[in-house]
Amino acid sequence: VQLQASGGGLVQAGGSLRLSCAASGRTLVGYALGWFRQTPGKDREFVASITWPGGTTTYTDSVKGRFTSSRDNGKKTVYLQMNSLKPEDTAVYFCAARHTRAGSSWNSWGQGTQVTVSS
């Protein structure tokens, strides 16, 4: 699976951004697409994921109620709607894919997109 992320930018605290991740190369049935973020000197952190085609979503606690993951089946694109952004959300955001069978790892990665939240 090839992934292309977009939609990052600079926003003030309390604002919103929507990230997109376009997938290509194979069917996404049986896969989960996820969002991760990373800041300098820290490990990459899981943010959210959504399964294909079921649409089951998972979020890390710090973004629950603020971020929403969704998908467009026809466009093979997943979105991360980020509302009520905080300065601590500042990071490079990556999308990734893995098969949903147990033991599968996140082994397809898109390039990162920078999100900067000013206070």
Side-chain angles (χ1 to χ4, degrees):
V1 178
Q2 289 78 50
L3 304 171
Q4 180 78 29
S6 61
L10 173 64
V11 64
Q12 288 188 332
S16 298
L17 281 174
R18 189 178 79 159
L19 305 183
S20 301
C21 178
S24 62
R26 59 156 296 144
T27 178
L28 294 179
V29 174
Y31 275 74
L33 270 70
W35 292 96
F36 292 74
R37 63 188 179 186
Q38 190 171 25
T39 55
K42 293 188 177 181
D43 292 336
R44 197 166 293 186
E45 173 193 26
F46 171 82
V47 176
S49 67
I50 187 167
T51 62
W52 214 286
T56 300
T57 54
T58 305
Y59 301 95
T60 192
D61 286 346
S62 62
V63 308
K64 285 180 180 177
R66 301 189 298 122
F67 291 12
T68 303
S69 184
S70 62
R71 74 205 192 286
D72 184 319
N73 291 342
K75 294 182 179 179
K76 293 176 68 176
T77 299
V78 295
Y79 304 98
L80 186 67
Q81 178 67 42
M82 305 185 294
N83 298 329
S84 302
L85 282 161
K86 304 176 181 180
E88 51 264 43
D89 294 318
T90 295
V92 178
Y93 284 70
F94 299 86
C95 60
R98 67 170 180 85
H99 201 277
T100 54
R101 62 177 172 264
S104 295
S105 60
W106 297 97
N107 54 13
S108 295
W109 292 86
Q111 88 290 359
T113 185
Q114 176 71 46
V115 171
T116 302
V117 184
S118 63
S119 58

